Amino acid sequence: MTDQPTPQWLYPRPDLPPILSPTEADVTVNLWLLPKFSMLSLYGLLEPLRVANRFGRPLFAWRLCSADGNAVTASNGVTVDVDAALGDAAIFDNLFVIASYEAEATVAAPQWAMLRQVAAHGGLLAALDTGAFILARAGLLEGYEVALHWESLPAFAEEFPALSVSDARYCFDRQRLTGGGGASSLDLMMAFIEREYGASLVAALSRQLVHARREAEADIAAPDYRPRSVRRAESIMDANLAQPLPIPEICARIGQSQRQLNRLFQRYCGETAKGRYLSLRLDRAQQLLADSRTSVTQAALATGFPHLAHFSRAYRTRFGETPSVTAKRGRMPT
């Protein structure tokens, strides 16, 4: 962090700034790309750094790394060249873990050591999307509040019940910065820049990026225009995935006939109330298997399937693959 007084940052340079090297910039941001990372997350992190350099000072450089120094392919199929293998350069100040699908596919002992090195030197560790799983499995999130993509929250909470999980878009908790990725990465990087250079620079960046900055508070849910009985029934279903309730009992709780509830579910959800309940249970099972080390048996029991054969048939019908195939992807070697 600079000790110089914060300028007003009113007007950027009209020309594009040079791409700075780590030796030229005040701060170098180290970005570790995992296979199938989100390109939107990467752009959200890099663009504020680039634009910040337009304000007349060599503020930021960035270093793209991969586990082996080879190019990394994002989830959209675009391949990105990197500057170095993680470990080739001494990294102590910060390390951003950018992951999405198959978060641990290339994580081995040297990468775990690098994460712990940054933590031991008091550096900032940041994680986007499923990158929080990597930090948590390295034992580096104890005592910190954690934010990650909403789709991964159930699996993360299942694997790390002792950790404090937030539904905010991102969390900046001392030397840990975690977020859901995607479009929220822009706000996450703005928070990082604000810590380094103050709010006035971030305000100037927001003007240049035509961006209305959003803070880290949890999002307000989009309006749900479905009938109240459908919303109430689905809420009851979601709260009782491990021990499913009979549909007549749900109907009794909400004061709705089963025939009318089925009609409403068909109209607004495209399936019967029973079918919707099954879909919710299977979707939760997929989240557990894809994003955690939950076994097939554990996922089945956690979503109300006491018989594995029934679970496997229903799962394959919905997702086109067996639960064990999903689990294999979610349980990469560490």
Side-chain angles (χ1 to χ4, degrees):
M1 182 182 298
T2 182
D3 294 326
Q4 300 180 15
T6 302
Q8 292 304 305
W9 312 103
L10 292 178
Y11 301 104
R13 292 166 40 167
D15 59 320
L16 291 176
I19 302 300
L20 303 176
S21 70
T23 59
E24 296 171 319
D26 291 348
V27 176
T28 297
V29 176
N30 302 289
L31 303 151
W32 175 19
L33 305 182
L34 278 294
K36 297 186 179 179
F37 70 93
S38 165
M39 188 69 76
L40 181 58
S41 294
L42 179 61
Y43 286 161
L45 296 176
L46 290 182
E47 283 301 283
L49 303 178
R50 179 190 67 81
V51 175
N53 288 343
R54 292 186 61 197
F55 287 88
R57 284 179 49 195
L59 299 178
F60 293 106
W62 49 89
R63 181 190 289 121
L64 302 183
C65 302
S66 66
D68 55 9
N70 293 325
V72 186
T73 301
S75 58
N76 62 1
V78 175
T79 299
V80 176
D81 290 329
V82 300
D83 302 304
L86 195 67
D88 284 356
I91 296 176
F92 302 109
D93 293 338
N94 63 72
L95 181 58
F96 286 65
V97 182
I98 309 175
S100 184
Y101 302 98
E102 301 181 17
E104 291 186 77
T106 59
V107 185
Q111 289 77 52
W112 298 117
M114 176 62 74
L115 291 170
R116 295 185 177 106
Q117 171 184 286
V118 175
H121 285 82
L124 173 74
L125 285 171
L128 281 298
D129 202 334
T130 58
F133 282 92
I134 295 174
L135 295 188
R137 288 167 185 163
L140 298 174
L141 289 180
E142 283 83 354
Y144 296 92
E145 191 170 18
V146 183
L148 67 164
H149 195 281
W150 63 266
E151 196 173 32
S152 298
L153 282 173
F156 190 89
E158 180 81 14
E159 185 171 346
F160 305 105
L163 296 184
S164 176
V165 179
S166 170
D167 59 357
R169 306 173 80 241
Y170 67 88
C171 286
F172 208 151
D173 188 351
R174 293 159 290 164
Q175 291 299 91
R176 300 293 182 271
L177 179 54
T178 54
S184 69
S185 303
L186 182 60
D187 291 309
L188 180 145
M189 182 53 77
M190 293 288 204
F192 173 79
I193 293 173
E194 182 172 1
R195 189 181 78 160
E196 296 293 321
Y197 291 104
S200 59
L201 175 56
V202 170
L205 287 175
S206 296
R207 289 193 297 270
Q208 290 301 310
L209 293 169
V210 197
H211 173 65
R213 186 184 178 199
R214 299 182 65 179
E215 300 295 339
E217 76 275 359
D219 289 334
I220 299 174
D224 189 342
Y225 295 108
R226 296 177 302 170
R228 184 169 180 265
S229 57
V230 172
R231 289 184 276 117
R232 288 183 61 199
E234 190 168 294
S235 179
I236 293 171
M237 293 173 183
D238 199 50
N240 293 275
L241 298 180
Q243 295 182 323
L245 301 175
I247 297 300
E249 181 175 338
I250 296 175
C251 292
R253 290 192 184 189
I254 65 174
Q256 182 82 67
S257 72
Q258 186 168 343
R259 179 178 179 181
Q260 177 68 358
L261 187 65
N262 277 328
R263 187 185 69 80
L264 291 172
F265 265 94
Q266 285 280 17
R267 178 177 179 183
Y268 290 95
C269 301
E271 52 193 342
T272 64
K274 182 178 180 180
R276 181 60 176 162
Y277 206 170
L278 177 62
S279 296
L280 291 173
R281 292 161 58 202
L282 291 170
D283 288 348
R284 176 62 60 84
Q286 185 194 45
Q287 291 172 355
L288 293 174
L289 292 171
D291 294 328
S292 75
R293 293 172 179 173
T294 303
S295 70
V296 172
T297 299
Q298 290 170 328
L301 294 176
T303 51
F305 292 94
H307 304 294
L308 284 181
H310 177 210
F311 173 60
S312 295
R313 284 195 302 270
Y315 190 96
R316 186 164 191 167
T317 298
R318 181 160 178 79
F319 299 113
E321 65 181 23
T322 63
S324 60
V325 171
T326 306
K328 184 177 180 180
R329 286 200 306 272
R331 191 162 50 250
M332 302 303 294
T334 62

